[in-house]
Amino acid sequence: MRHRPMTLALALVAALALAACGDDTDSDAVPQSGDRPEETAEDTSPDSSDESDDTTTTSDGADGGAFPVTVEADNGSVTIEATPERIISLSATHTEMLFALGAGDQVAAVDLQSDYPPEAPDGELDAFQPNVEAIAGYEPDLVVLSYDPGDVVESLELLEVPALLLDAPADFDGIYRQVEVLGAATGNVGGAAEVVGQMQTDIDQIVADLPEHAEGLTYFHELDDTYYSVTSQTFIGQVYALLGLENIADEAEAAGTAGGYPQLSAEFIIESDPDLIFLADATCCDQSPETVAGRPGWEGLSAVANDAVFVVDDDVASRWSPRIIDLLRNVAEAVTTFEPAG
Amino acid sequence: MNDRPTRTTVEAIIRPDAPAELAPSRVRRRWFAVAVGSLAGAMALGIFLGPAGLSAWGVVTEAVSTIPGIDAGPGLTDRQADILWKIRLPRVVLGALVGGMLALSGAAYQGVFRNPLADPYLLGVAAGAGLGATLAIAYGPDSSSWPVEALPVFAFAGAFLGVTAAWSLGHASGAGRNAATLILAGVAVAAFLTAAQTYVQQRETETLRQVYSWILGRLATSGWHEVLLILPYVVVSSVAVLLHRRLLDVLAVGDDEADTLGVRTERVRLVVVAAATLGTAAAVAVSGLIGFVGIIVPHAVRLVAGTSYRIVLPLSLLGGAAFLITADVAARTVASPAELPIGVITAFLGAPFFAVVLHTSKRAVQ
C-alpha cells in the first residue's frame, strides 16, 4: 500500500491555487453559527458554538477531564459538553495523536489515510472529499480534521456535532498545543501531558547526543521526484532546525508563495550542493540513493559522493504526530554517521 | 500529382487580391526572419538565465571551449558546467520541441476543422493523456519493474485512446463532411475522460500532488532523456503536417471546392489530424498539460503575417518554440529558486501577448 500523505498534497494544492482565497485558518475565521453568543465568564473569545443554556462553565482543560470544556482550534473556540465516546478522525496525524494520548478507545471511525497505529479502526471515510452524511452516520460526538474543503465544519455545527479543525502547525509548540487540545477535548489531559513530556525528553536527549559537526550542515528534504521540498517554516523543517541543520529550500521562502512547500528547480539544488539529502519519496515515487545518483548532473554532488543520501519514511515525515520523534531520531543518526570525505 | 492543384490555382482562389499586396514570398521571408530571430533570442535567454547564477561570460567560454581545438579557459566550474549541459540546455531544447509542436498542432487542427478555436487539446487528446497519466501515477508499475518510465507511455496511450474515441464517435455521426460534429464529439469524449480522471484522483488522494503537478505542466527534464524520447515524434509529425500546408489552404475554401480541385479532403484530414495528435501526445506525455500555446501562437501569427497555412504552419512552429522557452524562463526565474508551473505562466503571458498582437494588427490595418 502506498500512502501518500494527504496533508502535504493539500497544502500544495492550496498554495498553488494562486492564493485565491485568504488563509481561512486565521483565528478570526470563526464559525458563523454563534448567533446567540452565551455569556461566558472568563473566555476571552466567547464563541461557544452550541447551546449550553443551563451552564456556561468553561474550562481550559487544566483540571483534567472536566466537562463541558472549551478548546481553541483553528476553527475558533469549540465547546464539548461531555466526554466524547464516538470520535471520528479525518486526519492520519490526529488519529496517531488520539491513540498516543490514550483516547484510542473513544475513536469510532477514521479516514482512509489513517493507517497507524495498527489498532486503529480501518478507515472508510474520505478526508479529501468529506461527506457530511457519511460522517454523521457514525453518530459522532466529536470530529477531528486537518483539512476542510469549505463547509464540513459548518455543516457539522448545523448537526450540533463539535468539530476540531487542526491544521499543520509551524513548529513543535504547535504540535504540543494540538496534543493538549485533543487531550482536553477527549478527557485525557493527563495522557496528553505525558505525550508532550515524553516528546520533550526525547528531543532533549537526541539533541544532547548530537556530534559537534552537525551544526551548519546543509540539507535538502525531498518530498517527491519533482523536487517539492519544505522550508524551515514547516513542522518538518523544524525537525532539522532542532539539530542545527540549514535548509537549502529556505532561500525559496523569499518568494513566499508556496506556503512552506516550494518546488525547487534542479539547477538550484545542484548549485547549492547540500551536505545531506533526505528522501521522503521512497514509497510514493520509488526514489532511492541509487536513483538520486543516477540523475543527470546529480552524480557529482557531495551528498552522493559521501553516501549522505538517506531515506526517511514518507508517512512519518509528513505527519506531525508523536512519531515525528522517529524522524528526528533518524535524521540525528544520519548526521552522526555523516563523514565528509577528505 | 495530377490531382493536386497547382500553387497558382490555390493562390488565386485563396488570395484573389494577391497581386495588390506584397509578393507572398517576400512576406514570408520577412516573417521568417522575425520568427527565427525570436527563437534565437528566446534560446539565448533560456541558456543565460536560470536559478543557478551562471555568469554570462562563463557560459560563453564554456560554449566556445566545446569547439574542438579551442580552449577558451575555465569559464565554469565542473558543477556549473553540469548544470548548463545536463539541466539547463536540455530544458531549453525540450521547451522548443514542445512549444513548437503544440503551436503547430494547434494551427493544423484549426485548418482541418476550419475552426479558429480548435486546439490540440480538443478531441480528447489532453483529457485522454490526463487519464493515462493519472492511472500511471496511481496504479502504474514501479519504475523498477518496467524497462521504461510508465507515465509517458500511459499518457501517450491515453491521448490516442481519446482521439480515437472522438474520431469514431464523430465519424459515426457523419463528421466526414462536418467538422463541427467532430469537435462536439471531442468535447463529449473529453468531458467523459476528465470525469474518469477525477474519479481515479478522488479514490487515490495520496497521488494528488503528483497528478496535480503533471496537469499544470512542467518542462523539467532528467537530462536529455525526454528530448530524445519525443524528438522522433516531433520530427515525423512536423514534417507530415508541413507537407500538407498547401492542402490546408485548399480545405480552407470549403470541402466542395476542394473536391472539385481534386483534393481528397477526407484523407488530408485523417493524415493531418493523426500527425498533429501524435506530436501533441508525445509532447504532453513528457511535459504535462501546457495550455494556450496551441491557440495563442497560431492566432498571433495569423494576425501579423496573414492567414495562408503555408505561412501560418511554419511560423507557428518557430513562434511556439520561442514562446514556450520564454515562458519557461519566467517559470524558473520569477520565484527562483522555487519553480512556478509553466501552465500558469503560459496563461499569464498568453493573454497579454495576444492583446498586444491584436492591438498591433489593428494599427497595421488602419
Side-chain angles (χ1 to χ4, degrees), chain A residues 265-277:
Chain A
S265 63
E267 278 189 21
F268 172 76
I269 299 167
I270 292 172
E271 193 186 37
S272 304
D273 192 22
D275 295 313
L276 308 154
I277 295 176

Side-chain angles (χ1 to χ4, degrees), chain A residues 60-123:
Chain A
D60 58 5
D63 50 355
F67 285 90
V69 64
T70 298
V71 294
E72 285 293 326
D74 289 324
N75 54 324
S77 301
V78 179
T79 300
I80 295 134
E81 291 300 320
T83 310
E85 297 300 339
R86 298 186 56 79
I87 303 170
I88 290 187
S89 169
L90 293 176
S91 148
T93 295
H94 296 107
T95 305
E96 295 191 17
M97 280 187 189
L98 286 166
F99 274 85
L101 57 82
D105 293 346
Q106 294 154 266
V107 175
V110 297
D111 75 304
L112 288 161
Q113 261 69 38
S114 292
D115 55 357
Y116 188 93
E119 56 269 31
D122 283 340

Side-chain angles (χ1 to χ4, degrees), chain B residues 64-138:
Chain B
V64 171
S65 298
T66 60
I67 303 170
I70 299 181
D71 187 6
L76 298 173
T77 64
D78 283 355
R79 174 153 302 124
Q80 288 176 325
D82 268 0
I83 291 174
L84 179 66
W85 298 117
K86 295 179 180 171
I87 309 276
R88 197 178 284 183
L89 198 61
R91 193 162 166 157
V92 170
V93 175
L94 186 71
L97 292 178
V98 170
M101 194 65 242
L102 291 178
L104 178 72
S105 301
Y109 280 117
Q110 287 152 25
V112 167
F113 299 125
R114 285 203 299 271
N115 185 326
L117 296 178
D119 152 282
Y121 291 168
L122 219 78
L123 295 180
V125 176
L131 177 59
T134 308
L135 288 173
I137 292 169

Side-chain angles (χ1 to χ4, degrees), chain B residues 16-78:
Chain B
D17 54 344
E21 293 180 7
L22 227 58
S25 61
R26 278 188 53 199
V27 175
R28 234 177 301 159
R29 226 172 293 144
R30 194 177 73 199
W31 285 112
F32 262 116
V34 171
V36 171
S38 325
L39 180 55
M43 291 190 92
L45 214 60
I47 289 168
F48 285 114
L49 296 180
L54 310 185
S55 75
W57 179 244
V59 172
V60 171
T61 26
E62 178 72 25
V64 171
S65 298
T66 60
I67 303 170
I70 299 181
D71 187 6
L76 298 173
T77 64
D78 283 355

Side-chain angles (χ1 to χ4, degrees), chain A residues 195-241:
Chain A
V195 169
V196 170
Q198 186 64 50
M199 287 177 77
Q200 286 167 332
T201 312
D202 289 347
I203 290 173
D204 291 344
Q205 188 64 49
I206 293 167
V207 172
D209 289 348
L210 210 62
E212 278 172 24
H213 71 254
E215 192 71 31
L217 290 177
T218 58
Y219 75 96
F220 165 56
H221 179 96
E222 180 171 295
L223 285 180
D224 69 11
D225 54 359
T226 63
Y227 313 144
Y228 271 104
S229 189
V230 298
T231 69
S232 295
Q233 306 304 308
T234 65
F235 66 90
I236 310 172
Q238 286 296 301
V239 167
Y240 296 94

Side-chain angles (χ1 to χ4, degrees), chain A residues 47-179:
Chain A
D47 196 73
S48 334
S49 52
D50 67 328
E51 328 180 2
S52 48
D53 46 7
D54 49 352
T55 171
T56 57
T57 323
T58 58
S59 151
D60 58 5
D63 50 355
F67 285 90
V69 64
T70 298
V71 294
E72 285 293 326
D74 289 324
N75 54 324
S77 301
V78 179
T79 300
I80 295 134
E81 291 300 320
T83 310
E85 297 300 339
R86 298 186 56 79
I87 303 170
I88 290 187
S89 169
L90 293 176
S91 148
T93 295
H94 296 107
T95 305
E96 295 191 17
M97 280 187 189
L98 286 166
F99 274 85
L101 57 82
D105 293 346
Q106 294 154 266
V107 175
V110 297
D111 75 304
L112 288 161
Q113 261 69 38
S114 292
D115 55 357
Y116 188 93
E119 56 269 31
D122 283 340
E124 284 171 3
L125 293 162
D126 188 339
F128 174 65
Q129 284 280 301
N131 182 321
V132 176
E133 277 190 35
I135 296 168
Y138 285 95
E139 295 180 8
D141 40 24
L142 178 63
V143 175
V144 182
L145 60 170
S146 58
Y147 163 75
D148 184 349
D151 50 8
V152 173
V153 169
E154 212 172 299
S155 304
L156 288 171
E157 272 160 7
L158 287 176
L159 299 172
E160 299 184 9
V161 175
L164 299 174
L165 178 63
L166 299 168
D167 209 350
D171 52 27
F172 274 79
D173 284 343
I175 296 175
Y176 302 148
R177 210 154 35 235
Q178 292 195 0
V179 173

